[in-house]
Amino acid sequence: MEKLQSIRGTKDILPDSIYFWQFIFDKFKGISNQFNYKEIRTPIFEKTEVFHRSIGETTDIVNKEMYTFLDRGGESITLRPEATAALVRSVIQNSLLHESNLLRLWYFGPFFRYERPQKGRLRQFHQYGAELHGSPFPEADAETIFLAIALIKSIGISKFKLLINSLGNENSRQIYRKELIKFLQENENHLSQESQVRMQTNPLRVLDSKEERDIEILQNAPIILNFLDEESNLHFDTLKKILQSQEINFEIDTKLVRGLDYYSHSVFEFRSTMLGSQDSFGGGGRYDNLFEQLGGKQTPAVGFAFGIERLLLILENANLLPNAANAPDYYVISQNIEYIHYVNKITNILREKGKSVITDVSRKSLKAQLRDANKLNVSTVIIIGEDEFKNNQFTLKNLDTSEQKILEFNSIQNL
Ligand code: HAM
């Protein structure tokens, strides 16, 4: 029979690399604790409406990338393409903001987008993200950026670029939108096919175009920062000052709009030269209107997410992957299956003491067990031969030095 294959754009995380995933998870959990963010886990599927209402009907994600299907009850369900909207849904539903008016959350898990797979772009990928709900102030934006940078550094990445921009408040954005449409209409014939369509549906996203000819035309496009009103300007200036005061390097990218419609005021993105064409490994921004869009009361919020596969690619390409987990502390080798209870007794005591221990379960010869131990880089083996078994003893052997000694059973406690 034909062998079955996994779905295109998905990857098995094999035992060889799981250590790196655990490494990132553990580091990120530690840093999140330091910043007093609490972990939250929401379902991997939601009512489709959660994403339609939040991400925006005309975005690529909603338009062509969502895994949406009718369940057996006829309800439209979507595998989550991102977490921000789902978290807002959960915070509203569970009244989490009633207890305190500020909420700091983080999450880690799989997400799904029907994109064309390539290096760093998958159909099932993973994100770590953090969201800060309840503050309209730029200090909150800055806190999430501080957190993001602390996370990146915690796994050893020191070279990256932080881009920031402001999309202003609703008022500023509307005025800018009109100006931009005017400009795009004047240049319509020179724009790529895709941008001509986008211009009608989601004009700000035209700024994101990677097409050579669009990029050239867009050099003369009106700049959003010139359209910010006083409130929007103050927010952006304060954020920049906070970042500068902590010597955080950033570049302003006036064309940074991001692929989701819920943003207002600050947006930011982290890029790395270690990634090739998919060079953005994280991004986020402020979303002050999302709670209302999802049926809650107006609540200012800001957050970001990192793509874990992209972080791993950076670590790999920059030769920064940590050394894999250590070998087991002991291999308890038995000369004869008859000694199994004695072997298990020793093994259990050692495990209770917190040691990592393995034993043979496939009835290999003593020699084969020794070979096994070598392969696993175990440096100390415990050998139970006939004499040891009879005398309630064991042999402790160091495979590196070949030194060995016979010890009484009770001295297991001292290992
Ligand atoms: P996003 O920019 O769509 O933002 O995704 C964040 C990160 O997820 C990207 O920078 C990238 O590293 C990773 N990513 C996205 N799509 C893929 C893919 N197909 N394959 C591999 N990695 C991918 C959001 O999702 C927002 N929810 C971020 C946010 C949180 N904004 C506010 N709070």
Side-chain angles (χ1 to χ4, degrees):
M1 252 205 284
E2 194 191 333
K3 277 192 217 149
L4 292 173
Q5 301 287 320
S6 61
I7 292 172
R8 191 163 121 86
T10 69
K11 263 195 184 151
D12 299 315
I13 304 169
L14 300 175
D16 266 1
S17 52
I18 199 73
Y19 176 75
F20 307 129
W21 285 79
Q22 290 166 345
F23 164 76
I24 292 185
F25 183 88
D26 291 346
K27 290 281 184 199
F28 281 13
K29 182 175 152 194
I31 299 286
S32 307
N33 279 337
Q34 284 186 320
F35 280 74
N36 207 28
Y37 281 61
K38 304 275 186 274
E39 189 183 359
I40 181 167
R41 299 184 187 183
T42 60
I44 59 164
F45 52 13
E46 294 276 347
K47 290 184 180 168
T48 301
E49 213 187 330
V50 170
F51 305 112
H52 267 239
R53 274 209 243 162
S54 55
I55 296 174
E57 300 278 350
T58 56
T59 57
D60 282 353
I61 295 182
V62 168
N63 243 326
K64 51 185 189 195
E65 293 171 5
M66 293 209 307
Y67 279 92
T68 296
F69 57 95
L70 293 182
D71 70 7
R72 287 172 192 273
E75 178 143 48
S76 181
I77 304 283
T78 294
L79 300 187
R80 60 184 190 182
E82 64 110 44
T84 310
L87 257 58
V88 169
R89 193 269 309 137
S90 173
V91 168
I92 296 170
Q93 183 178 338
N94 296 295
S95 306
L96 296 187
L97 269 164
H98 286 185
E99 289 147 30
S100 69
N101 48 17
L102 206 68
L103 203 54
R104 294 180 163 95
L105 301 170
W106 68 274
Y107 54 88
F108 190 109
F111 294 87
F112 308 85
R113 294 184 194 174
Y114 192 78
E115 294 197 75
R116 197 168 46 77
Q118 64 180 84
K119 207 168 179 64
R121 196 161 69 189
L122 292 142
R123 290 183 173 169
Q124 175 175 333
F125 59 99
H126 297 75
Q127 284 185 350
Y128 164 99
E131 314 286 349
L132 173 45
H133 293 164
S135 167
F137 300 114
E139 296 88 298
D141 309 36
E143 179 178 292
T144 61
I145 293 176
F146 291 155
L147 169 59
I149 292 176
L151 293 162
I152 301 169
K153 290 194 170 157
S154 75
I155 54 170
I157 297 174
S158 53
K159 280 196 203 125
F160 58 87
K161 211 188 233 176
L162 167 61
L163 302 176
I164 65 170
N165 191 23
S166 175
L167 303 178
N169 56 18
E170 189 71 26
N171 186 35
S172 310
R173 211 158 46 255
Q174 284 311 330
I175 298 171
Y176 174 67
R177 212 178 125 99
K178 277 194 196 129
E179 280 302 310
L180 181 65
I181 291 175
K182 214 159 81 190
F183 171 85
L184 294 174
Q185 278 168 345
E186 281 162 16
N187 292 281
E188 186 170 357
N189 295 337
H190 305 290
L191 289 172
S192 68
Q193 201 66 35
E194 203 178 343
S195 289
Q196 289 186 22
V197 176
R198 279 220 172 115
M199 184 183 118
Q200 310 292 340
T201 56
N202 200 339
L204 258 69
R205 281 305 306 280
V206 176
L207 297 175
D208 237 7
S209 172
K210 305 275 180 289
E211 293 278 338
E212 205 67 43
R213 55 206 276 207
D214 293 341
I215 292 172
E216 207 174 306
I217 292 165
L218 289 166
Q219 279 178 353
N220 301 316
I223 289 170
I224 192 155
L225 294 180
N226 296 337
F227 292 81
L228 297 188
D229 62 12
E230 210 181 317
E231 184 217 351
S232 306
N233 254 325
L234 183 63
H235 188 99
F236 195 44
D237 278 346
T238 312
L239 173 62
K240 284 186 292 186
K241 280 191 192 126
I242 298 174
L243 296 180
Q244 277 156 353
S245 74
Q246 300 309 310
E247 287 167 23
I248 288 175
N249 291 323
F250 59 83
E251 278 174 32
I252 294 172
D253 178 349
T254 57
K255 295 200 175 64
L256 183 70
V257 287
R258 313 234 332 109
L260 308 106
D261 278 356
Y262 50 60
Y263 292 115
S264 54
H265 290 292
S266 344
V267 284
F268 50 91
E269 217 161 88
F270 292 94
R271 304 223 174 124
S272 165
T273 51
M274 292 283 165
L275 283 173
S277 68
Q278 300 303 309
D279 64 345
S280 159
F281 62 91
R286 178 163 279 286
Y287 47 97
D288 289 348
N289 304 314
L290 189 51
F291 273 77
E292 272 172 311
Q293 280 166 29
L294 291 172
K297 74 174 204 305
Q298 203 272 335
T299 306
V302 56
F304 67 89
F306 287 134
I308 306 301
E309 284 82 358
R310 294 195 189 167
L311 289 174
L312 283 167
L313 273 176
I314 298 174
L315 291 179
E316 192 185 329
N317 293 341
N319 248 329
L320 289 169
L321 284 175
N323 287 329
N326 290 329
D329 297 319
Y330 299 102
Y331 194 134
V332 186
I333 290 173
S334 160
Q335 198 181 18
N336 190 323
I337 182 68
E338 307 272 305
Y339 313 151
I340 178 81
H341 302 310
Y342 189 56
V343 165
N344 281 340
K345 209 159 133 188
I346 292 176
T347 307
N348 287 337
I349 292 172
L350 287 171
R351 286 191 183 135
E352 266 169 31
K353 281 166 58 77
K355 304 293 181 191
S356 65
V357 189
I358 58 166
T359 59
D360 170 53
V361 290
S362 44
R363 302 192 179 178
K364 285 189 191 124
S365 69
L366 191 132
K367 254 195 180 155
Q369 291 178 57
L370 269 170
R371 267 203 305 275
D372 236 18
N374 265 318
K375 242 196 266 164
L376 289 167
N377 285 329
V378 179
S379 56
T380 316
V381 294
I382 291 171
I383 303 169
I384 311 299
E386 196 181 345
D387 288 348
E388 288 91 339
F389 180 66
K390 277 196 190 138
N391 302 329
N392 224 18
Q393 294 173 322
F394 62 92
T395 294
L396 190 71
K397 179 168 184 177
N398 184 323
L399 292 184
D400 301 329
T401 60
S402 286
E403 251 175 83
Q404 64 178 63
K405 52 189 169 189
I406 295 177
L407 297 167
E408 298 303 316
F409 172 75
N410 282 344
S411 50
I412 288 283
Q413 291 297 348
N414 308 327
L415 293 185

